[in-house]
Structure formats: structure tokens, C-alpha cells
PDB file of all heavy atoms in Angstrom:
ATOM      1  N   TYR M 363       0.835  -1.292  -0.042  1.00 98.00           N
ATOM      2  CA  TYR M 363      -0.139  -0.018  -0.012  1.00 98.00           C
ATOM      3  C   TYR M 363       0.808   1.267   0.076  1.00 98.00           C
ATOM      4  O   TYR M 363       0.464   2.304  -0.368  1.00 98.00           O
ATOM      5  CB  TYR M 363      -0.915  -0.039   1.240  1.00 98.00           C
ATOM      6  CG  TYR M 363      -2.018  -1.082   1.233  1.00 98.00           C
ATOM      7  CD1 TYR M 363      -2.425  -1.730   2.379  1.00 98.00           C
ATOM      8  CD2 TYR M 363      -2.692  -1.414   0.018  1.00 98.00           C
ATOM      9  CE1 TYR M 363      -3.372  -2.855   2.392  1.00 98.00           C
ATOM     10  CE2 TYR M 363      -3.598  -2.432  -0.029  1.00 98.00           C
ATOM     11  CZ  TYR M 363      -3.971  -3.079   1.150  1.00 98.00           C
ATOM     12  OH  TYR M 363      -4.926  -4.030   1.080  1.00 98.00           O
ATOM     13  N   TYR M 364       2.144   1.185   0.552  1.00 98.00           N
ATOM     14  CA  TYR M 364       2.891   2.330   0.562  1.00 98.00           C
ATOM     15  C   TYR M 364       4.366   1.811   0.386  1.00 98.00           C
ATOM     16  O   TYR M 364       4.719   0.643   0.715  1.00 98.00           O
ATOM     17  CB  TYR M 364       2.739   3.258   1.750  1.00 98.00           C
ATOM     18  CG  TYR M 364       3.126   2.616   3.079  1.00 98.00           C
ATOM     19  CD1 TYR M 364       4.520   3.006   3.616  1.00 98.00           C
ATOM     20  CD2 TYR M 364       2.434   1.834   3.853  1.00 98.00           C
ATOM     21  CE1 TYR M 364       4.883   2.421   4.861  1.00 98.00           C
ATOM     22  CE2 TYR M 364       2.844   1.275   5.047  1.00 98.00           C
ATOM     23  CZ  TYR M 364       4.115   1.643   5.577  1.00 98.00           C
ATOM     24  OH  TYR M 364       4.559   1.053   6.702  1.00 98.00           O
ATOM     25  N   ASP M 365       5.279   2.790   0.027  1.00 98.00           N
ATOM     26  CA  ASP M 365       6.690   2.382  -0.078  1.00 98.00           C
ATOM     27  C   ASP M 365       7.398   2.683   1.283  1.00 98.00           C
ATOM     28  O   ASP M 365       7.525   3.917   1.583  1.00 98.00           O
ATOM     29  CB  ASP M 365       7.369   3.242  -1.270  1.00 98.00           C
ATOM     30  CG  ASP M 365       8.654   2.872  -1.435  1.00 98.00           C
ATOM     31  OD1 ASP M 365       9.536   2.416  -0.518  1.00 98.00           O
ATOM     32  OD2 ASP M 365       9.143   2.928  -2.599  1.00 98.00           O
ATOM     33  N   ALA M 366       7.677   1.629   2.017  1.00 98.00           N
ATOM     34  CA  ALA M 366       8.088   1.830   3.385  1.00 98.00           C
ATOM     35  C   ALA M 366       9.472   2.558   3.516  1.00 98.00           C
ATOM     36  O   ALA M 366       9.603   3.510   4.213  1.00 98.00           O
ATOM     37  CB  ALA M 366       8.313   0.560   4.084  1.00 98.00           C
ATOM     38  N   ARG M 367      10.343   2.187   2.621  1.00 98.00           N
ATOM     39  CA  ARG M 367      11.675   2.788   2.493  1.00 98.00           C
ATOM     40  C   ARG M 367      11.594   4.352   2.158  1.00 98.00           C
ATOM     41  O   ARG M 367      12.266   5.119   2.890  1.00 98.00           O
ATOM     42  CB  ARG M 367      12.660   2.102   1.616  1.00 98.00           C
ATOM     43  CG  ARG M 367      14.175   2.548   1.773  1.00 98.00           C
ATOM     44  CD  ARG M 367      14.932   1.760   0.819  1.00 98.00           C
ATOM     45  NE  ARG M 367      14.973   0.480   1.072  1.00 98.00           N
ATOM     46  CZ  ARG M 367      15.780  -0.219   2.052  1.00 98.00           C
ATOM     47  NH1 ARG M 367      16.553   0.503   2.723  1.00 98.00           N
ATOM     48  NH2 ARG M 367      15.666  -1.523   2.130  1.00 98.00           N
ATOM     49  N   LYS M 368      10.691   4.553   1.197  1.00 98.00           N
ATOM     50  CA  LYS M 368      10.536   6.080   0.746  1.00 98.00           C
ATOM     51  C   LYS M 368       9.955   6.783   1.943  1.00 98.00           C
ATOM     52  O   LYS M 368      10.351   8.003   2.202  1.00 98.00           O
ATOM     53  CB  LYS M 368       9.679   6.105  -0.437  1.00 98.00           C
ATOM     54  CG  LYS M 368       9.558   7.424  -0.996  1.00 98.00           C
ATOM     55  CD  LYS M 368       8.811   7.418  -2.301  1.00 98.00           C
ATOM     56  CE  LYS M 368       8.513   8.892  -2.806  1.00 98.00           C
ATOM     57  NZ  LYS M 368       7.668   8.863  -3.988  1.00 98.00           N
ATOM     58  N   ALA M 369       8.901   6.270   2.639  1.00 98.00           N
ATOM     59  CA  ALA M 369       8.296   6.893   3.748  1.00 98.00           C
ATOM     60  C   ALA M 369       9.208   7.174   4.846  1.00 98.00           C
ATOM     61  O   ALA M 369       9.086   8.330   5.434  1.00 98.00           O
ATOM     62  CB  ALA M 369       6.984   6.163   4.193  1.00 98.00           C
ATOM     63  N   VAL M 370       9.981   6.265   5.251  1.00 98.00           N
ATOM     64  CA  VAL M 370      10.974   6.365   6.420  1.00 98.00           C
ATOM     65  C   VAL M 370      12.007   7.438   5.991  1.00 98.00           C
ATOM     66  O   VAL M 370      12.297   8.301   6.898  1.00 98.00           O
ATOM     67  CB  VAL M 370      11.602   5.050   6.674  1.00 98.00           C
ATOM     68  CG1 VAL M 370      12.843   5.226   7.664  1.00 98.00           C
ATOM     69  CG2 VAL M 370      10.605   4.099   7.192  1.00 98.00           C
ATOM     70  N   GLU M 371      12.525   7.428   4.786  1.00 98.00           N
ATOM     71  CA  GLU M 371      13.440   8.447   4.398  1.00 98.00           C
ATOM     72  C   GLU M 371      12.892   9.815   4.362  1.00 98.00           C
ATOM     73  O   GLU M 371      13.546  10.810   4.795  1.00 98.00           O
ATOM     74  CB  GLU M 371      14.050   8.126   2.977  1.00 98.00           C
ATOM     75  CG  GLU M 371      14.925   6.884   3.007  1.00 98.00           C
ATOM     76  CD  GLU M 371      15.377   6.491   1.631  1.00 98.00           C
ATOM     77  OE1 GLU M 371      14.900   7.093   0.585  1.00 98.00           O
ATOM     78  OE2 GLU M 371      16.187   5.550   1.520  1.00 98.00           O
ATOM     79  N   GLN M 372      11.607   9.993   3.943  1.00 98.00           N
ATOM     80  CA  GLN M 372      10.899  11.308   4.041  1.00 98.00           C
ATOM     81  C   GLN M 372      10.817  11.883   5.383  1.00 98.00           C
ATOM     82  O   GLN M 372      11.087  12.980   5.530  1.00 98.00           O
ATOM     83  CB  GLN M 372       9.583  11.157   3.261  1.00 98.00           C
ATOM     84  CG  GLN M 372       8.858  12.584   3.238  1.00 98.00           C
ATOM     85  CD  GLN M 372       7.456  12.366   2.444  1.00 98.00           C
ATOM     86  OE1 GLN M 372       6.976  11.197   2.429  1.00 98.00           O
ATOM     87  NE2 GLN M 372       6.938  13.537   2.062  1.00 98.00           N
ATOM     88  N   LEU M 373      10.334  11.004   6.369  1.00 98.00           N
ATOM     89  CA  LEU M 373      10.168  11.438   7.661  1.00 98.00           C
ATOM     90  C   LEU M 373      11.376  11.715   8.326  1.00 98.00           C
ATOM     91  O   LEU M 373      11.568  12.596   9.146  1.00 98.00           O
ATOM     92  CB  LEU M 373       9.295  10.422   8.424  1.00 98.00           C
ATOM     93  CG  LEU M 373       7.859  10.305   7.959  1.00 98.00           C
ATOM     94  CD1 LEU M 373       7.163   9.032   8.497  1.00 98.00           C
ATOM     95  CD2 LEU M 373       7.058  11.584   8.361  1.00 98.00           C
ATOM     96  N   HIS M 374      12.388  10.861   8.179  1.00 98.00           N
ATOM     97  CA  HIS M 374      13.722  11.099   8.731  1.00 98.00           C
ATOM     98  C   HIS M 374      14.314  12.365   8.217  1.00 98.00           C
ATOM     99  O   HIS M 374      14.986  13.036   8.963  1.00 98.00           O
ATOM    100  CB  HIS M 374      14.678   9.891   8.504  1.00 98.00           C
ATOM    101  CG  HIS M 374      14.430   8.743   9.285  1.00 98.00           C
ATOM    102  ND1 HIS M 374      15.138   7.576   9.103  1.00 98.00           N
ATOM    103  CD2 HIS M 374      13.625   8.526  10.364  1.00 98.00           C
ATOM    104  CE1 HIS M 374      14.767   6.659   9.991  1.00 98.00           C
ATOM    105  NE2 HIS M 374      13.825   7.174  10.786  1.00 98.00           N
ATOM    106  N   GLY M 375      14.013  12.779   7.011  1.00 98.00           N
ATOM    107  CA  GLY M 375      14.544  14.012   6.377  1.00 98.00           C
ATOM    108  C   GLY M 375      13.870  15.196   7.123  1.00 98.00           C
ATOM    109  O   GLY M 375      14.517  16.301   7.050  1.00 98.00           O
ATOM    110  N   LEU M 376      12.762  15.104   7.710  1.00 97.00           N
ATOM    111  CA  LEU M 376      12.124  16.092   8.536  1.00 97.00           C
ATOM    112  C   LEU M 376      12.544  16.001  10.012  1.00 97.00           C
ATOM    113  O   LEU M 376      12.013  16.756  10.778  1.00 97.00           O
ATOM    114  CB  LEU M 376      10.594  15.945   8.351  1.00 97.00           C
ATOM    115  CG  LEU M 376       9.966  16.240   7.049  1.00 97.00           C
ATOM    116  CD1 LEU M 376       8.442  16.002   7.066  1.00 97.00           C
ATOM    117  CD2 LEU M 376      10.202  17.672   6.566  1.00 97.00           C
ATOM    118  N   GLY M 377      13.474  15.114  10.336  1.00 97.00           N
ATOM    119  CA  GLY M 377      13.790  15.006  11.675  1.00 97.00           C
ATOM    120  C   GLY M 377      12.804  14.238  12.580  1.00 97.00           C
ATOM    121  O   GLY M 377      12.845  14.409  13.821  1.00 97.00           O
ATOM    122  N   VAL M 378      11.929  13.431  11.855  1.00 98.00           N
ATOM    123  CA  VAL M 378      10.852  12.762  12.539  1.00 98.00           C
ATOM    124  C   VAL M 378      11.145  11.246  12.711  1.00 98.00           C
ATOM    125  O   VAL M 378      11.598  10.638  11.711  1.00 98.00           O
ATOM    126  CB  VAL M 378       9.527  12.970  11.838  1.00 98.00           C
ATOM    127  CG1 VAL M 378       8.357  12.135  12.310  1.00 98.00           C
ATOM    128  CG2 VAL M 378       9.172  14.445  11.767  1.00 98.00           C
ATOM    129  N   ARG M 379      10.881  10.733  13.920  1.00 98.00           N
ATOM    130  CA  ARG M 379      11.141   9.297  14.086  1.00 98.00           C
ATOM    131  C   ARG M 379       9.894   8.537  13.548  1.00 98.00           C
ATOM    132  O   ARG M 379       8.743   9.042  13.409  1.00 98.00           O
ATOM    133  CB  ARG M 379      11.313   8.994  15.574  1.00 98.00           C
ATOM    134  CG  ARG M 379      12.452   9.648  16.138  1.00 98.00           C
ATOM    135  CD  ARG M 379      12.641   9.357  17.691  1.00 98.00           C
ATOM    136  NE  ARG M 379      13.169   7.947  17.745  1.00 98.00           N
ATOM    137  CZ  ARG M 379      12.455   6.822  18.136  1.00 98.00           C
ATOM    138  NH1 ARG M 379      11.318   7.057  18.362  1.00 98.00           N
ATOM    139  NH2 ARG M 379      13.071   5.676  18.298  1.00 98.00           N
ATOM    140  N   VAL M 380      10.189   7.288  13.072  1.00 98.00           N
ATOM    141  CA  VAL M 380       9.079   6.384  12.627  1.00 98.00           C
ATOM    142  C   VAL M 380       8.957   5.133  13.391  1.00 98.00           C
ATOM    143  O   VAL M 380       9.850   4.396  13.553  1.00 98.00           O
ATOM    144  CB  VAL M 380       9.427   6.151  11.060  1.00 98.00           C
ATOM    145  CG1 VAL M 380       8.178   5.440  10.418  1.00 98.00           C
ATOM    146  CG2 VAL M 380       9.825   7.300  10.418  1.00 98.00           C
ATOM    147  N   VAL M 381       7.784   4.902  13.925  1.00 98.00           N
ATOM    148  CA  VAL M 381       7.474   3.759  14.664  1.00 98.00           C
ATOM    149  C   VAL M 381       6.491   2.822  13.774  1.00 98.00           C
ATOM    150  O   VAL M 381       5.582   3.326  13.199  1.00 98.00           O
ATOM    151  CB  VAL M 381       6.634   4.086  15.910  1.00 98.00           C
ATOM    152  CG1 VAL M 381       6.176   2.783  16.624  1.00 98.00           C
ATOM    153  CG2 VAL M 381       7.427   4.851  16.922  1.00 98.00           C
ATOM    154  N   GLY M 382       6.880   1.659  13.709  1.00 98.00           N
ATOM    155  CA  GLY M 382       6.108   0.606  12.853  1.00 98.00           C
ATOM    156  C   GLY M 382       5.288  -0.227  13.802  1.00 98.00           C
ATOM    157  O   GLY M 382       5.606  -0.899  14.763  1.00 98.00           O
ATOM    158  N   ARG M 383       3.901  -0.100  13.525  1.00 98.00           N
ATOM    159  CA  ARG M 383       2.945  -0.831  14.398  1.00 98.00           C
ATOM    160  C   ARG M 383       2.749  -2.201  13.636  1.00 98.00           C
ATOM    161  O   ARG M 383       2.410  -2.291  12.535  1.00 98.00           O
ATOM    162  CB  ARG M 383       1.668  -0.144  14.431  1.00 98.00           C
ATOM    163  CG  ARG M 383       0.422  -0.901  15.075  1.00 98.00           C
ATOM    164  CD  ARG M 383      -0.712  -0.040  15.206  1.00 98.00           C
ATOM    165  NE  ARG M 383      -1.951  -0.831  15.689  1.00 98.00           N
ATOM    166  CZ  ARG M 383      -2.894  -1.283  14.836  1.00 98.00           C
ATOM    167  NH1 ARG M 383      -2.798  -1.055  13.478  1.00 98.00           N
ATOM    168  NH2 ARG M 383      -3.889  -1.915  15.268  1.00 98.00           N
ATOM    169  N   LEU M 384       2.958  -3.198  14.463  1.00 98.00           N
ATOM    170  CA  LEU M 384       2.789  -4.562  13.953  1.00 98.00           C
ATOM    171  C   LEU M 384       1.888  -5.348  14.744  1.00 98.00           C
ATOM    172  O   LEU M 384       2.115  -5.586  15.940  1.00 98.00           O
ATOM    173  CB  LEU M 384       4.245  -5.259  14.049  1.00 98.00           C
ATOM    174  CG  LEU M 384       4.548  -6.491  13.110  1.00 98.00           C
ATOM    175  CD1 LEU M 384       5.995  -6.801  13.040  1.00 98.00           C
ATOM    176  CD2 LEU M 384       3.704  -7.779  13.620  1.00 98.00           C
ATOM    177  N   VAL M 385       0.701  -5.691  14.197  1.00 98.00           N
ATOM    178  CA  VAL M 385      -0.298  -6.429  14.834  1.00 98.00           C
ATOM    179  C   VAL M 385       0.170  -8.006  14.865  1.00 98.00           C
ATOM    180  O   VAL M 385       0.277  -8.529  13.726  1.00 98.00           O
ATOM    181  CB  VAL M 385      -1.621  -6.316  14.276  1.00 98.00           C
ATOM    182  CG1 VAL M 385      -2.696  -7.231  14.967  1.00 98.00           C
ATOM    183  CG2 VAL M 385      -2.156  -4.843  14.304  1.00 98.00           C
ATOM    184  N   ALA M 386       0.455  -8.554  15.959  1.00 98.00           N
ATOM    185  CA  ALA M 386       1.064  -9.815  16.004  1.00 98.00           C
ATOM    186  C   ALA M 386       0.036 -10.890  15.734  1.00 98.00           C
ATOM    187  O   ALA M 386       0.158 -11.567  14.829  1.00 98.00           O
ATOM    188  CB  ALA M 386       1.844  -9.917  17.305  1.00 98.00           C
ATOM    189  N   PHE M 387      -0.773 -11.252  16.773  1.00 98.00           N
ATOM    190  CA  PHE M 387      -1.453 -12.500  16.800  1.00 98.00           C
ATOM    191  C   PHE M 387      -2.982 -12.529  16.348  1.00 98.00           C
ATOM    192  O   PHE M 387      -3.388 -13.596  16.002  1.00 98.00           O
ATOM    193  CB  PHE M 387      -1.378 -13.077  18.157  1.00 98.00           C
ATOM    194  CG  PHE M 387      -0.006 -13.377  18.652  1.00 98.00           C
ATOM    195  CD1 PHE M 387       0.418 -12.789  19.818  1.00 98.00           C
ATOM    196  CD2 PHE M 387       0.973 -14.024  17.965  1.00 98.00           C
ATOM    197  CE1 PHE M 387       1.770 -12.915  20.351  1.00 98.00           C
ATOM    198  CE2 PHE M 387       2.222 -14.124  18.264  1.00 98.00           C
ATOM    199  CZ  PHE M 387       2.669 -13.514  19.537  1.00 98.00           C
ATOM    200  N   LYS M 388      -3.490 -11.306  16.140  1.00 97.00           N
ATOM    201  CA  LYS M 388      -4.790 -11.260  15.427  1.00 97.00           C
ATOM    202  C   LYS M 388      -4.335 -11.086  13.959  1.00 97.00           C
ATOM    203  O   LYS M 388      -4.028 -10.006  13.481  1.00 97.00           O
ATOM    204  CB  LYS M 388      -5.632  -9.988  15.912  1.00 97.00           C
ATOM    205  CG  LYS M 388      -7.017  -9.969  15.210  1.00 97.00           C
ATOM    206  CD  LYS M 388      -7.779  -8.887  15.712  1.00 97.00           C
ATOM    207  CE  LYS M 388      -9.210  -8.843  15.130  1.00 97.00           C
ATOM    208  NZ  LYS M 388      -9.318  -8.865  13.733  1.00 97.00           N
ATOM    209  N   ASP M 389      -4.434 -12.206  13.216  1.00 98.00           N
ATOM    210  CA  ASP M 389      -3.968 -12.342  11.855  1.00 98.00           C
ATOM    211  C   ASP M 389      -4.716 -13.214  11.004  1.00 98.00           C
ATOM    212  O   ASP M 389      -4.462 -14.378  10.844  1.00 98.00           O
ATOM    213  CB  ASP M 389      -2.484 -12.791  11.908  1.00 98.00           C
ATOM    214  CG  ASP M 389      -1.731 -12.542  10.598  1.00 98.00           C
ATOM    215  OD1 ASP M 389      -2.356 -12.670   9.588  1.00 98.00           O
ATOM    216  OD2 ASP M 389      -0.480 -12.483  10.675  1.00 98.00           O
ATOM    217  N   PRO M 390      -5.805 -12.766  10.510  1.00 97.00           N
ATOM    218  CA  PRO M 390      -6.888 -13.594   9.717  1.00 97.00           C
ATOM    219  C   PRO M 390      -6.104 -14.185   8.465  1.00 97.00           C
ATOM    220  O   PRO M 390      -6.511 -15.355   8.127  1.00 97.00           O
ATOM    221  CB  PRO M 390      -7.966 -12.637   9.385  1.00 97.00           C
ATOM    222  CG  PRO M 390      -7.787 -11.532  10.368  1.00 97.00           C
ATOM    223  CD  PRO M 390      -6.468 -11.488  10.682  1.00 97.00           C
ATOM    224  N   VAL M 391      -5.246 -13.481   7.862  1.00 98.00           N
ATOM    225  CA  VAL M 391      -4.446 -14.035   6.643  1.00 98.00           C
ATOM    226  C   VAL M 391      -3.766 -15.260   6.999  1.00 98.00           C
ATOM    227  O   VAL M 391      -3.919 -16.323   6.261  1.00 98.00           O
ATOM    228  CB  VAL M 391      -3.695 -12.967   5.975  1.00 98.00           C
ATOM    229  CG1 VAL M 391      -3.006 -13.580   4.802  1.00 98.00           C
ATOM    230  CG2 VAL M 391      -4.474 -11.803   5.590  1.00 98.00           C
ATOM    231  N   LEU M 392      -2.932 -15.165   8.028  1.00 98.00           N
ATOM    232  CA  LEU M 392      -2.146 -16.317   8.401  1.00 98.00           C
ATOM    233  C   LEU M 392      -2.971 -17.439   8.882  1.00 98.00           C
ATOM    234  O   LEU M 392      -2.698 -18.655   8.681  1.00 98.00           O
ATOM    235  CB  LEU M 392      -1.005 -15.750   9.357  1.00 98.00           C
ATOM    236  CG  LEU M 392      -0.011 -16.931   9.920  1.00 98.00           C
ATOM    237  CD1 LEU M 392       0.637 -17.621   8.785  1.00 98.00           C
ATOM    238  CD2 LEU M 392       0.881 -16.467  10.946  1.00 98.00           C
ATOM    239  N   ALA M 393      -3.938 -17.018   9.807  1.00 98.00           N
ATOM    240  CA  ALA M 393      -4.717 -18.090  10.386  1.00 98.00           C
ATOM    241  C   ALA M 393      -5.458 -18.917   9.448  1.00 98.00           C
ATOM    242  O   ALA M 393      -5.440 -20.115   9.485  1.00 98.00           O
ATOM    243  CB  ALA M 393      -5.678 -17.326  11.376  1.00 98.00           C
ATOM    244  N   GLU M 394      -6.041 -18.273   8.427  1.00 97.00           N
ATOM    245  CA  GLU M 394      -6.816 -19.071   7.386  1.00 97.00           C
ATOM    246  C   GLU M 394      -5.934 -19.826   6.593  1.00 97.00           C
ATOM    247  O   GLU M 394      -6.152 -21.005   6.222  1.00 97.00           O
ATOM    248  CB  GLU M 394      -7.636 -18.094   6.517  1.00 97.00           C
ATOM    249  CG  GLU M 394      -8.513 -18.755   5.518  1.00 97.00           C
ATOM    250  CD  GLU M 394      -9.445 -17.874   4.656  1.00 97.00           C
ATOM    251  OE1 GLU M 394      -9.365 -16.710   4.840  1.00 97.00           O
ATOM    252  OE2 GLU M 394     -10.177 -18.439   3.909  1.00 97.00           O
ATOM    253  N   ALA M 395      -4.802 -19.301   6.121  1.00 98.00           N
ATOM    254  CA  ALA M 395      -3.864 -20.047   5.366  1.00 98.00           C
ATOM    255  C   ALA M 395      -3.159 -21.211   6.060  1.00 98.00           C
ATOM    256  O   ALA M 395      -3.123 -22.345   5.504  1.00 98.00           O
ATOM    257  CB  ALA M 395      -2.619 -19.126   4.848  1.00 98.00           C
ATOM    258  N   SER M 396      -2.920 -21.104   7.421  1.00 98.00           N
ATOM    259  CA  SER M 396      -2.476 -22.174   8.237  1.00 98.00           C
ATOM    260  C   SER M 396      -3.490 -23.336   8.393  1.00 98.00           C
ATOM    261  O   SER M 396      -3.172 -24.480   8.210  1.00 98.00           O
ATOM    262  CB  SER M 396      -2.078 -21.644   9.562  1.00 98.00           C
ATOM    263  OG  SER M 396      -1.037 -20.618   9.507  1.00 98.00           O
ATOM    264  N   TRP M 397      -4.742 -22.900   8.639  1.00 97.00           N
ATOM    265  CA  TRP M 397      -5.838 -23.875   8.844  1.00 97.00           C
ATOM    266  C   TRP M 397      -6.094 -24.699   7.579  1.00 97.00           C
ATOM    267  O   TRP M 397      -6.103 -25.983   7.606  1.00 97.00           O
ATOM    268  CB  TRP M 397      -7.130 -23.141   9.260  1.00 97.00           C
ATOM    269  CG  TRP M 397      -8.088 -24.167   9.741  1.00 97.00           C
ATOM    270  CD1 TRP M 397      -9.116 -24.762   9.043  1.00 97.00           C
ATOM    271  CD2 TRP M 397      -8.289 -24.623  11.199  1.00 97.00           C
ATOM    272  NE1 TRP M 397      -9.835 -25.655   9.847  1.00 97.00           N
ATOM    273  CE2 TRP M 397      -9.307 -25.547  11.129  1.00 97.00           C
ATOM    274  CE3 TRP M 397      -7.493 -24.460  12.231  1.00 97.00           C
ATOM    275  CZ2 TRP M 397      -9.685 -26.188  12.286  1.00 97.00           C
ATOM    276  CZ3 TRP M 397      -7.935 -25.047  13.402  1.00 97.00           C
ATOM    277  CH2 TRP M 397      -8.944 -25.962  13.457  1.00 97.00           C
TER     278      TRP M 397
END
């Protein structure tokens, strides 16, 4: 959906830190594929 490297570089260029939110165990894609 977005270019992660480009987004991080843009924000770092503004002196802004970037936090990546990672939803761990609620994961319908992996759950269905695994089942």
C-alpha cells in the first residue's frame, strides 16, 4: 500500500522518528492459510 523505505526516508529527512505498528497474533490471513 505504501513504499516503506521512501516513507521512512521522507520522515527522517524532517527529523521525525518512525514507529512501525505490527499487529502480532490477530492475523486472519495467516490463520486461514495455516488452517
Side-chain angles (χ1 to χ4, degrees):
Y363 294 139
Y364 71 96
D365 186 324
R367 191 179 297 278
K368 182 179 178 181
V370 169
E371 289 176 353
Q372 181 182 15
L373 289 167
H374 281 173
L376 295 173
V378 173
R379 300 180 74 256
V380 188
V381 174
R383 172 176 172 260
L384 199 166
V385 175
F387 302 125
K388 186 177 185 298
D389 191 333
V391 176
L392 178 60
E394 183 172 6
S396 298
W397 192 268

